[in-house]
Amino acid sequence: MKGIILAGGSGTRLAPSTHSINKHLLAVYDKPMIYYPLSVLMLGGIREIMIISTPEDQPRFRGLLGDGSSLGINLKYKEQAEPNGIPEALTLSQDFIGSDDVTLILGDNIFYGQGFTTILRNALNKHSNATVFGYRVKDPRRFGVVEFDENQKVKSIEEKPKNPKSDFAVTGLYIYDNKAASLAKNLKPSDRGELEITDLNREYLKRGELDVELLGRGFAWMDAGTHEALFEAAEFVKITQQRQGFKLACLEEIAYYLGYISQHELYRKGKSMEKNDYGQYLLEIAKRKYTKQYWDHTDQNPMLGMVK
């Protein structure tokens, strides 16, 4: 399984903050936005990941994350010259995907909830063609909307319908089989001039190959693509971390628990940032003796649910 993070676009909804920086590099409380989708792929066990961004922003992502070796993963980069739609991420990455399946996540999406990692890994393990994740929203007219039957099989999927057939939005996390890039190549641009991910999902639905995983009321899904949403996401992360004592989307912590980096490497990372809370958190983990009781406790952290 390969992973793709789409972190391109012009970020106009977050202007003027994005006039000089890609929105996915903006901080969501104490870490860059891209840490959140990258943590999802890492927790899913995906180690080969491509980050797609604009030509001018690619050096900034490289400067932040490098080739991924410091986290025990393999990062590649690809340019998207123009924001031509989400499915273009698949066509641009076709050589990278090769003969593997692929999980695509949008760079401004944040997922949180007890057992999310378990749901994700189960979906990755059992999926055969295409799987999307549905989340109940107050105003489904703003999203791609999925309708399903009593057996949780998808009946229809529509993009921003005036009269939604359900209140479940399709999140920015998609699992596809190896033919996704080929199907994406055959899509036609919508009225707004972009390739639509809903059209790709609808193509899988026509083939009887689209599944949906529902994220219940105990989950949070955020798209941090506007000023208000970015502020709300930062507040959510701040409050959750302060109350629970764990950090969400802490890539170094995840890499350590997965066995990708050593205790010494984790300590060095913490030492390089010891003047702030993030670095102190890494140092605390590196110095802690791991016991079964501690593992049982961390398993309650939704961002670490399957990491054992």
Side-chain angles (χ1 to χ4, degrees), residues 18 26 57 73-74 76 111 143 151 158 161 225 248 285 296:
T18 49
L26 294 174
D57 289 316
I73 60 177
N74 182 12
K76 302 292 185 183
F111 293 85
F143 305 94
N151 297 316
E158 300 176 281
L248 279 65
I285 296 169
D296 290 343

Side-chain angles (χ1 to χ4, degrees), residues 200-220:
L200 177 60
N201 292 333
R202 193 178 288 123
E203 180 59 35
Y204 274 100
L205 178 59
K206 288 179 183 177
R207 298 164 178 257
E209 297 176 348
L210 181 66
D211 295 320
V212 60
E213 290 283 343
L214 299 182
L215 302 178
R217 62 191 301 170
F219 291 88

Side-chain angles (χ1 to χ4, degrees), residues 32-100:
M33 186 186 297
I34 197 170
Y35 274 40
Y36 296 87
L38 182 53
S39 73
V40 171
L41 297 181
M42 289 177 65
L43 286 170
I46 300 171
R47 300 183 72 171
E48 294 186 71
I49 299 166
M50 175 167 281
I51 297 174
I52 298 178
S53 63
T54 63
E56 59 269 25
D57 289 316
Q58 189 177 116
R60 300 185 180 105
F61 284 103
R62 288 183 181 272
L64 175 67
L65 298 166
D67 63 2
S69 59
S70 65
L71 295 169
I73 60 177
N74 182 12
L75 293 179
K76 302 292 185 183
Y77 298 87
K78 192 80 173 182
E79 295 180 359
Q80 185 186 41
E82 299 290 337
N84 295 319
I86 299 171
E88 188 180 50
L90 296 165
T91 60
L92 290 173
S93 307
Q94 192 162 18
D95 290 343
F96 167 74
I97 295 170
S99 59
D100 292 313

